[in-house]
Amino acid sequence: MPLYSKCIEPKENTTQPCVVFLHGLLGSIGDWEKIASAIAKTHPVLLIDLPGHGHSRLINVSESHGFEQTCRLIVEQLESSPYQEFIFVGYSLGGRIAMYLNACVELQSNISLRGLCIEGGNFGLLSKEEKQARLNNDIRWAERFEQQPIADVLDDWYQQKVFSSLNPEQRQVLVAKRSDNLGKSIGMMLRSTSLAKQPYLLEALHRSTIPMLYICGEADNKFQHLAEQSQLTYQIIAQAGHNAHVEQPERFTHVLNTFLQQWK
């Protein structure tokens, strides 16, 4: 079964690369539609629902090969599109998957990856201790999503430190919005694409020759630190936390449009 995707073509013909948007855990293509509509004025756009999410919620990937299988499914969508050149824009989990695909040249097949924009994506963990602690944490969350009412789990999920910039009203909006997910599908993706199972990808980013931009929110201290230490080009979005493209869509769109101008 193919992943669900939605293509938005500019009103005028263009030779620009297609911009592919990949959402984060618990998200869907709907998270990007406002920004994607603005980008589609100059670039073709492809929005993809990741396995276990949105209209792809019944598509599973294995616990042992989650990243590779997810990337193969994405490549199948790209190959079935009318475009050959692509720029990835990925948030959090979507950013980690985009970085993984960039590192695995053999998975890129007949597509041409021309650029990479990562928002709040973790490059990976280095020590066995960090990986084991993260795996244990992700499994605990996965079990909760699989076994408990999803709204109850989300109430606690958005209390995590990475979401500390959210106010109570913003948290409740996200809980309501994300409650249409299937708990078992979210648990599956947490297990399959745990940060503990991801290779450390920063070195592959340094070796890559394509243009890259890392984006993080002003109040997202953890990922701002990662950006500063990464030696990658990065941009900070004012008055935003971990989910900058949702909290400040106009500012995010401006930064992304500026990055995309080099292909004009």
Side-chain angles (χ1 to χ4, degrees):
M1 182 186 297
L3 294 176
Y4 177 82
S5 64
K6 177 181 178 181
C7 189
I8 308 175
E9 297 183 5
K11 291 181 179 178
E12 297 181 10
N13 290 334
T14 179
T15 58
Q16 301 299 321
C18 177
V19 181
V20 181
F21 287 90
L22 301 177
H23 59 77
L25 189 77
L26 293 160
S28 71
I29 65 172
D31 296 352
W32 289 115
E33 284 187 327
K34 183 175 182 179
I35 292 168
S37 295
I39 299 303
K41 293 177 182 176
T42 55
H43 287 73
V45 163
L46 187 65
L47 300 151
I48 297 177
D49 275 337
L50 296 175
H53 292 77
H55 294 294
S56 304
R57 67 181 65 195
L58 299 180
I59 297 176
N60 295 323
V61 291
S62 73
E63 284 193 39
S64 55
H65 297 94
F67 282 96
E68 183 177 356
Q69 289 180 5
T70 298
C71 286
R72 288 194 185 281
L73 287 166
I74 290 170
V75 168
E76 287 175 9
Q77 289 300 104
L78 304 188
E79 289 179 335
S80 66
S81 79
Y83 308 104
Q84 284 79 45
E85 297 183 330
F86 301 93
I87 300 165
F88 277 87
V89 180
Y91 163 66
S92 196
L93 171 61
R96 296 197 287 119
I97 289 168
M99 289 187 288
Y100 184 91
L101 182 56
N102 170 71
C104 298
V105 177
E106 68 276 10
L107 288 176
Q108 295 179 26
S109 184
N110 297 320
I111 70 169
S112 175
L113 185 56
R114 295 289 309 281
L116 200 57
C117 179
I118 306 300
E119 178 194 358
N122 199 313
F123 306 118
L125 304 173
L126 289 169
S127 74
K128 290 183 179 179
E129 292 76 16
E130 284 179 307
K131 289 182 178 181
Q132 191 58 56
R134 178 59 182 250
L135 184 61
N136 293 342
N137 186 61
D138 284 346
I139 288 174
R140 282 194 295 269
W141 278 112
E143 288 174 346
R144 289 196 61 190
F145 275 111
E146 290 161 351
Q147 298 169 12
Q148 300 175 18
I150 193 166
D152 294 347
V153 184
L154 290 171
D155 274 330
D156 292 336
W157 178 265
Y158 287 112
Q159 296 293 333
Q160 294 181 95
K161 189 176 180 180
V162 72
F163 300 113
S164 60
S165 66
L166 297 174
N167 61 42
E169 182 182 355
Q170 289 172 314
R171 285 193 178 92
Q172 286 309 305
V173 168
L174 279 171
V175 169
K177 184 177 180 180
R178 302 310 194 199
S179 290
D180 65 348
N181 280 287
L182 296 178
K184 288 187 176 180
S185 296
I186 298 303
M188 176 272 299
M189 278 299 274
L190 262 171
R191 295 173 188 273
S192 302
T193 57
S194 168
L195 185 63
K197 298 179 179 180
Q198 175 188 309
Y200 187 70
L201 298 171
L202 185 57
E203 292 164 0
L205 293 178
H206 286 161
R207 289 193 301 269
S208 182
T209 58
I210 63 173
M212 294 183 188
L213 177 66
Y214 194 96
I215 297 177
C216 57
E218 179 183 40
D220 189 357
N221 296 326
K222 173 182 176 180
F223 286 89
Q224 191 171 326
H225 178 72
L226 287 177
E228 290 167 352
Q229 299 297 313
S230 71
Q231 297 183 315
L232 299 175
T233 300
Y234 69 91
Q235 184 83 37
I236 294 172
I237 304 292
Q239 296 181 304
H242 185 56
N243 200 339
H245 71 276
V246 169
E247 295 176 45
Q248 296 291 342
E250 289 83 8
R251 289 175 180 171
F252 187 95
T253 302
H254 175 74
V255 169
L256 180 55
N257 260 325
T258 301
F259 174 67
L260 293 174
Q261 281 178 2
Q262 62 195 294
W263 282 277
K264 287 185 179 179

